[in-house]
Amino acid sequence: MREALESWHFGKVLYAYRTHPHHERPISQGAVANWLGLTQAQLSRIENGPAPQDLSKLMSWAHSLEIPADLLWFKLPGSRHQFAAPTKPREQAGRQKPEQSSQTQGSTLLPVVVDGQTVFVPIDASTLATSGLGSLSAISADSTTSAEHEAMSPLHRRTLLSGIAAAALPGLGLEELQRVASALDDSRRYLDGPVVDYFRSQLESAKHDDGTLGPKKTLPVVLGLLGAIEQHARNVKPRARRQLLSVGADGAEFAGWLYRDIHQPGQAGFWYDRAMEWAQEADDAAMQGYVLLKKSQMAYDDRDALRVLTLAQAARHERWQLPQRVHAEVTQQEALGLAMTGEPLDAVKQKLDESRSLLTNMPSDDPNPLGAYFAEDTLMLRNAVTYTEAGKPSMAVELFGEAIASGTLSRRDTGFFNARRAAAVALCGEPDEAAQLGRASAEVAHTMKSERTLRVLGEVLHTLDRWSSRPAVRDFREALRAS
């Protein structure tokens, strides 16, 4: 273990930890990945790839594994050990490291909540000044030393970023945190104006940008807005609070979707639960039913067929007073659940026809924006997924091709549904075409940081395993590894 720590490669540290003789038997990658909020595939890449450099992640992982601070090559909040990083750690492992003051002047601690535990990331004064994060601090970075921060109570530390400290911000680097800061700072300018309309317009703008920017750039903005909504809702009258929380529920549901896209199901579940809580307090029945629909869709990510079906059926209950468009989407989701649980194809088709009828006959003047993305092309794509689950991939391929050719999808969604299309083509026994589609999709997934798409492509590669020697399949495998 000590040799792994001296390598300054956290992947080697994780491997040494999992296989240490202290354990009765080696701990699986899946188990450790779950502790760290990662997938097994991500942990494997960390162990076998280049040394991770993201300090916030290194600190989070070290905190989760309770590695003593004096064994690490970076400083943990609350520790009195801080080391300078030599260029070649192996060559200088035996040298005495230069001593540094444990009291770094002008530093502050940024609270980041990881799996329910607050980790405090040290940010120096110069970084605060250049990033704009200093304007969010309740305590001036220039007037407080790190030693004074060490003496603060955890509750006092949480006030450094009021409102956002309660939100989950795992894995965000400085650039992303700057976007959170910017969103919070912008929101403060409107605290004396029409704040509900402001938050709603900013949220709609973020949703619009998601398809082109991807979740990594959209998520910090959304989290900043949610932090500002939560903070402002504490200081208004009950009616205004309900209005704010209704917008907050919409934003929390969207945050859940963004976390699904980067495959962090724990954080996605947190925000879906927060959306449900706020919708209940705001007496927003439609949003409560809508969140049940989203939880059903998240269950599909986990291949939990029974929950896909029962959550969709729960979302259809009349108590939610769903807009007709959302009712159509819920009905389509129920068809997917029926297909996954092996119900007859006629029963699946009946639900699909019912969904299409609801969507086609929807009033043109429906003012409710909930589920506005669910249109004919979206229905066609969802139906294609359903036919794949029902064992009819050839029907799915045709629908995927028609919907993607329409040109109405965002770049991110085009990449994702091309992955689904590749899966259906592979099941039809067309390895070269499936590999070509998969390779194109992998490039988009890499650019957009869509872990959800990469997971589907991993399934495609598994289906193509019996054709692994074909050049197109080999090229697809290499493209996927590079992603």
Side-chain angles (χ1 to χ4, degrees):
M1 185 69 178
R2 189 173 293 275
E3 182 179 353
L5 287 162
E6 289 175 353
S7 74
W8 293 15
H9 188 310
F10 213 94
K12 294 180 180 179
V13 174
L14 291 171
Y15 177 79
Y17 179 89
R18 291 194 307 103
T19 59
H20 197 278
H22 173 76
H23 309 298
E24 293 183 2
R25 57 183 179 181
I27 304 174
S28 69
Q29 283 186 333
V32 175
N34 186 54
W35 299 344
L36 304 181
L38 303 168
T39 65
Q40 183 273 328
Q42 287 173 325
L43 182 63
S44 178
R45 288 197 292 269
I46 291 169
E47 288 187 355
N48 297 295
Q53 301 297 321
D54 189 324
L55 180 60
S56 64
K57 291 181 180 179
L58 296 178
M59 296 174 72
S60 170
W61 297 338
H63 177 80
S64 296
L65 298 180
E66 298 182 353
I67 298 175
D70 58 334
L71 298 180
L72 297 169
W73 59 98
F74 50 88
K75 186 178 183 295
L76 286 178
S79 74
R80 297 184 179 275
H81 300 274
Q82 182 173 342
F83 303 106
T87 305
K88 296 181 180 179
R90 279 293 181 189
E91 294 180 2
Q92 300 196 18
R95 301 182 188 177
Q96 183 176 2
K97 295 181 174 64
E99 294 183 1
Q100 297 185 11
S101 170
S102 63
Q103 295 185 4
T104 303
Q105 297 294 324
S107 67
T108 188
L109 293 170
L110 183 71
V112 177
V113 179
V114 181
D115 291 338
Q117 295 182 326
T118 302
V119 178
F120 294 94
V121 181
I123 303 292
D124 61 36
S126 61
T127 301
L128 282 169
T130 58
S131 68
L133 291 172
S135 64
L136 297 177
S137 298
I139 302 170
S140 170
D142 294 328
S143 63
T144 311
T145 67
S146 62
E148 290 170 329
H149 278 299
E150 298 295 339
M152 294 179 190
S153 69
L155 181 62
H156 194 184
R157 289 176 179 177
R158 286 189 178 91
T159 67
L160 288 173
L161 284 179
S162 301
I164 203 63
L169 298 174
L172 297 186
L174 182 58
E175 182 181 355
E176 288 82 6
L177 288 169
Q178 289 171 1
R179 294 194 185 100
V180 174
S182 178
L184 278 166
D185 187 54
D186 286 346
S187 71
R188 288 197 174 106
R189 302 174 189 173
Y190 289 82
L191 290 185
D192 295 326
V195 290
V196 175
D197 290 340
Y198 167 77
F199 286 132
R200 184 176 286 113
S201 67
Q202 291 300 300
L203 182 58
E204 290 306 314
S205 178
K207 289 181 180 180
H208 180 268
D209 292 341
D210 173 46
T212 53
L213 298 180
K216 286 288 189 178
K217 292 185 178 180
T218 306
L219 185 57
V221 175
V222 175
L223 292 176
L225 288 171
L226 290 173
I229 289 172
E230 183 178 33
Q231 181 183 37
H232 190 55
R234 297 175 181 148
N235 304 310
V236 295
K237 293 181 179 180
R239 181 174 177 274
R241 176 176 172 82
R242 285 191 290 271
Q243 291 176 336
L244 280 168
L245 292 186
S246 182
V247 177
D250 189 12
E253 179 278 315
F254 183 47
W257 150 248
L258 292 170
Y259 273 116
R260 281 176 58 203
D261 198 20
I262 60 176
H263 192 54
Q264 290 195 18
Q267 297 302 328
F270 169 87
W271 284 110
Y272 282 153
D273 288 343
R274 178 59 60 88
M276 181 66 81
E277 176 187 330
W278 283 349
Q280 288 171 337
E281 187 175 349
D283 196 22
D284 189 337
M287 178 56 72
Q288 294 173 54
Y290 189 66
V291 172
L292 288 174
L293 165 64
K294 295 301 156 181
K295 289 195 171 191
S296 172
Q297 293 171 349
M298 184 173 168
Y300 179 71
D301 297 342
D302 297 330
R303 306 294 303 164
D304 191 338
L306 190 58
R307 291 188 75 240
V308 170
L309 179 59
T310 56
L311 282 167
Q313 290 172 335
R316 288 194 69 194
H317 199 284
E318 62 183 13
R319 72 166 68 93
W320 308 126
Q321 304 172 31
L322 296 175
Q324 189 163 322
R325 187 188 300 274
V326 178
H327 194 183
E329 185 179 3
V330 168
T331 304
Q332 199 288 326
Q333 184 71 9
E334 185 177 1
L336 176 61
L338 293 173
M340 294 181 73
T341 53
E343 292 298 318
L345 184 60
D346 286 345
V348 174
K349 285 184 174 180
Q350 181 180 349
K351 287 296 178 183
L352 294 180
D353 290 343
E354 183 181 342
S355 176
R356 178 176 293 279
S357 177
L358 285 166
L359 188 61
T360 302
N361 297 315
M362 191 185 70
S364 58
D365 58 346
D366 186 355
N368 197 314
L370 199 60
Y373 58 85
F374 193 74
E376 285 289 338
D377 289 338
T378 313
L379 176 63
M380 193 181 304
L381 291 166
R382 301 279 181 84
N383 288 352
V385 174
T386 302
Y387 279 126
T388 303
E389 295 293 343
K392 300 295 180 182
S394 59
M395 298 174 67
V397 170
E398 183 178 347
L399 290 174
F400 277 129
E402 185 178 346
I404 292 171
S406 70
T408 60
L409 301 178
S410 67
R411 187 183 182 197
R412 190 267 316 280
D413 288 348
T414 298
F416 175 72
F417 285 109
N418 257 330
R420 289 286 184 203
R421 184 183 180 188
V425 170
L427 291 172
C428 290
E430 298 289 346
D432 291 346
E433 183 182 355
Q436 290 169 3
L437 288 168
R439 185 174 180 178
S441 176
E443 293 176 359
V444 177
H446 176 69
T447 302
M448 305 301 293
K449 310 297 183 186
S450 178
E451 290 289 337
R452 190 175 64 122
T453 302
L454 292 175
R455 286 188 73 197
V456 175
L457 292 174
E459 296 169 4
V460 174
L461 190 60
H462 179 72
T463 304
L464 295 175
D465 188 58
R466 55 178 169 156
W467 294 290
S468 59
S469 61
R470 298 184 70 86
V473 176
R474 289 201 303 268
D475 290 345
F476 170 42
R477 183 186 302 109
E478 291 304 316
L480 191 55
R481 284 176 179 171
S483 299

